[in-house]
């Protein structure tokens, strides 16, 4: 497995002065989900899209990210990718210079009726993927991913459907398995000691702003930005607003990213 590096046309900073930004996609997402942000930030960072391979557990995904990353790096994750980022932070906090969590939550897999509904919903999507193909599964899932008003946006819809269809049913199954065993990451969030940005789609029904407000209350000095008009695929729906928030976050991490600077010491958190 190897991360995909996004080149920076016209970037003249030496690599040692351009921190690596590891970008972690969500369930059956890929670099398309972070495309606009990678292009926007490529002059100041070295964006790399992480590859989880065939991992079926958040911790294994996090280990794959760490294997693809340099000694120290910035870290941003969307949806499932943000949960993987929390695991990276748990395993190796001394390597992470700054964190961005987008469209996510921090609790464990739900129990009881909520857990049953989540399992049934995801199993139904997997059944469609295996029986009718990933394009059909993507069309079935789409109304949960973006607000109803955006379903008429042909370019956005095409980008999302194409991205999902670039995955296989086996990859979908692996991502569902990882999500089904996601841990309680609240202790990890409380221990964060680096600049942290939370991005919430104002109209996200899967991971609503309330979930991000809960995380913001746990993370010391975290900044929360609600992205207007966006649902779960906020990085693709309103890239301009996401990019503006990321600009400020990257600027806040510059002291840590400067040559020779060391991040604030932090100890790995054991949540097993």
């Amino acid at each position: 497995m190897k991360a995909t590096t996004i080149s920076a046309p016209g970037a003249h900073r030496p690599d040692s002065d351009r921190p690596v930004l590891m970008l972690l996609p969500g369930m059956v997402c890929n670099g398309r989900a972070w495309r606009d942000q990678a292009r926007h930030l490529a002059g100041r960072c070295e964006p790399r899209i992480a590859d989880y391979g065939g991992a079926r557990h958040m911790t294994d995904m996090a280990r794959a990210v760490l294997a693809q990353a340099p000694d120290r790096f910035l870290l941003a994750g969307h949806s499932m990718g943000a949960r993987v980022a929390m695991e990276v932070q748990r395993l190796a906090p001394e390597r992470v210079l700054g964190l961005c969590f987008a469209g996510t939550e921090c609790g464990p897999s739900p129990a009881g009726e909520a857990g049953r509904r989540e399992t049934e919903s995801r199993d139904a999507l997997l059944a469609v993927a295996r029986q009718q193909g990933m394009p059909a599964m993507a069309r079935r899932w789409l109304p949960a991913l973006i607000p109803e008003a955006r379903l008429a946006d042909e370019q956005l819809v095409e980008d999302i459907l194409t991205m999902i269809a670039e995955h296989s049913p086996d990859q979908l199954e692996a991502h569902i398995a990882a999500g089904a065993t996601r841990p309680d990451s609240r202790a990890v969030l409380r221990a964060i000691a680096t600049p942290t940005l939370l991005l919430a789609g104002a109209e996200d029904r899967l991971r609503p702003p309330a979930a991000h407000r809960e995380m913001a209350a746990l993370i010391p000095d975290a900044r929360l930005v609600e992205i207007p008009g966006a649902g779960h695929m906020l990085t693709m729906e309103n890239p301009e607003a996401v990019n503006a928030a990321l600009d400020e976050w990257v600027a806040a991490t510059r002291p840590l990213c400067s040559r020779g600077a060391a991040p604030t010491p932090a100890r790995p958190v054991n949540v097993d």
Side-chain angles (χ1 to χ4, degrees), residues 182-196:
R182 60 190 185 272
D184 186 339
S185 296
R186 283 171 283 202
V188 176
L189 299 189
R190 292 188 187 98
I192 291 174
T194 53
T196 302

Side-chain angles (χ1 to χ4, degrees), residues 13 36 46 51 55 66 73 88 116 141 168 180 190 217 222 237 239:
R13 285 185 180 174
D36 291 299
E46 182 185 318
D51 180 1
L66 286 167
F73 53 94
V88 171
R116 184 188 65 79
W141 197 23
S168 69
R190 292 188 187 98
E237 296 173 72

Side-chain angles (χ1 to χ4, degrees), residues 15-140:
D15 287 345
S16 60
D17 198 37
R18 260 172 75 229
V20 167
L21 169 59
M22 297 298 296
L23 296 168
L24 279 52
M27 188 168 82
V28 289
C29 294
N30 54 30
R32 289 178 184 268
W34 286 109
R35 177 185 57 207
D36 291 299
Q37 290 71 44
R39 290 174 177 172
H40 177 74
L41 293 169
R44 284 160 287 164
C45 305
E46 182 185 318
R48 297 183 189 177
I49 308 297
D51 180 1
Y52 308 128
R56 298 172 60 89
H57 193 282
M58 295 287 179
T59 302
D60 292 333
M61 291 176 171
R63 289 180 178 136
V65 172
L66 286 167
Q68 297 163 38
D71 288 343
R72 290 175 180 165
F73 53 94
L74 299 174
L75 183 60
H78 168 246
S79 193
M80 181 190 76
R83 296 310 307 262
V84 176
M86 293 177 200
E87 273 295 280
V88 171
Q89 174 69 15
R90 181 180 73 86
L91 294 172
E94 73 283 354
R95 293 177 61 182
V96 180
L97 296 165
L99 287 157
C100 173
F101 304 128
T104 194
E105 40 76 47
C106 62
S109 301
E113 179 63 20
R116 184 188 65 79
R117 288 196 304 269
E118 179 177 282
T119 298
E120 288 182 353
S121 173
R122 294 187 172 188
D123 285 350
L125 290 175
L126 182 58
V128 171
R130 293 210 178 278
Q131 295 166 15
Q132 302 175 40
M134 289 297 289
M137 172 268 173
R139 288 190 293 273
R140 173 77 66 89

Side-chain angles (χ1 to χ4, degrees), residues 90 187-188 267-272:
R90 181 180 73 86
V188 176
R267 293 177 297 173
V269 176
N270 184 359
V271 295
D272 295 334

Side-chain angles (χ1 to χ4, degrees), residues 221-241:
D221 300 318
R223 179 173 181 240
L224 169 60
V225 177
E226 290 192 21
I227 304 302
H232 193 60
M233 304 305 296
L234 62 162
T235 58
M236 302 174 77
E237 296 173 72
N238 192 343
E240 295 83 6

